[in-house]
Amino acid sequence: MYYFTNNALTVEYKSTNIPVYFNPIDEDWKREKCSSLGFTYKKPITNQEFTPFMVPVERVYTTHFPIILSELICGDRKIRKQFARNIIENLVSNEDIKKLFQTKDMFEKYIAKTTILKAPNEPIDEEVVKSKWYTLEILAAAYYLKTCIYVYDYSFNVWILLRNSYTTFDSKNEKCIYLYLTKNRMGVVTNLTSP
């Protein structure tokens, strides 16, 4: 639940008793999704000469949400601006997200304050793309990608599920994106363990 009051967004999370499963996206899913979004999937580089100048991809794209998604799904951080623009366009035009605000004016104030979209086809400032993305932008990404996104929030020690519908959710068979969020970092969850 989202509330926009006093020029600030308040998020209230509700617990669910739906059984959930760790079912991360795989290479086939990525290839199909990337193609359906109009991009070209780049297969991960394996079995090649490895130099001291190479760094883990995760080090490069950790923290910046559009870069994380473009690298994770299509294997290409160069399309991060298109991912960012498409997610924000979904946020701006998404009727379900608009309903989360008490009034149209509150929604427009939120959009004006937080989005990177200034005018149609205007280039996106690279520094703005690197700025922090919030829960509503991640929800807009779930709508844009038509998939569920789990975010493990270290500050609350909880998993947050974001998706376009909760009534038809089948977590046992549905591929999802799993992310973690700390005070100043976001990244991809690749495995789980019990404490």
Side-chain angles (χ1 to χ4, degrees):
M1 298 290 293
Y2 301 86
Y3 305 96
F4 194 84
T5 55
N6 299 325
N7 290 329
L9 181 69
T10 303
V11 183
E12 179 184 309
Y13 299 106
K14 303 258 180 181
S15 297
T16 179
N17 56 4
I18 300 170
V20 291
Y21 298 85
F22 184 65
N23 193 12
I25 59 176
D26 56 27
E27 294 303 312
D28 291 336
W29 185 96
K30 292 176 188 180
R31 192 175 288 107
E32 288 174 23
K33 182 60 66 176
C34 189
S35 176
S36 74
L37 296 173
F39 300 111
T40 302
Y41 176 78
K42 289 189 174 180
K43 190 174 179 182
I45 299 170
T46 56
N47 203 19
Q48 72 163 6
E49 189 175 350
F50 174 50
T51 73
F53 303 105
M54 293 180 167
V55 297
V57 166
E58 290 79 6
R59 178 179 168 208
V60 178
Y61 70 74
T62 298
T63 305
H64 313 306
F65 186 59
I67 300 174
I68 290 171
L69 289 183
S70 62
E71 184 68 51
L72 175 66
I73 297 170
C74 295
D76 187 359
R77 75 180 61 89
K78 292 178 182 173
I79 59 174
R80 65 192 176 276
K81 290 182 182 180
Q82 292 96 321
F83 258 77
R85 179 168 296 283
N86 294 347
I87 291 166
I88 293 302
E89 285 176 349
N90 186 288
L91 174 63
V92 170
S93 64
N94 190 301
E95 294 300 320
D96 290 337
I97 293 175
K98 285 179 187 176
K99 290 176 189 173
L100 299 173
F101 291 81
Q102 293 174 340
T103 67
K104 182 180 176 182
D105 184 53
M106 289 179 177
F107 177 72
E108 288 173 357
K109 283 181 181 177
Y110 178 82
I111 294 299
K113 183 178 178 183
T114 62
T115 67
I116 59 177
L117 191 64
K118 298 172 189 163
N121 302 318
E122 182 178 332
I124 296 174
D125 184 339
E126 186 69 25
E127 288 307 308
V128 179
V129 170
K130 291 180 181 177
S131 66
K132 186 173 181 183
W133 284 59
Y134 298 93
T135 305
L136 279 182
E137 285 80 359
I138 298 171
L139 179 60
Y143 272 89
Y144 168 61
L145 297 170
K146 297 180 179 67
T147 193
C148 47
I149 299 176
Y150 283 91
V151 179
Y152 183 78
D153 190 325
Y154 275 88
S155 60
F156 298 110
N157 199 30
V158 296
W159 283 99
I160 301 164
L161 170 62
L162 300 153
R163 68 185 315 272
N164 60 354
S165 171
Y166 298 94
T167 56
T168 60
F169 185 49
D170 176 12
S171 70
K172 190 169 187 177
N173 298 308
E174 187 173 346
K175 302 279 185 198
C176 296
I177 294 170
Y178 298 84
L179 305 172
Y180 67 85
L181 180 65
T182 66
K183 184 177 178 182
N184 55 9
R185 175 170 293 223
M186 177 183 274
V188 177
V189 174
T190 57
N191 205 353
L192 298 176
T193 187
S194 297

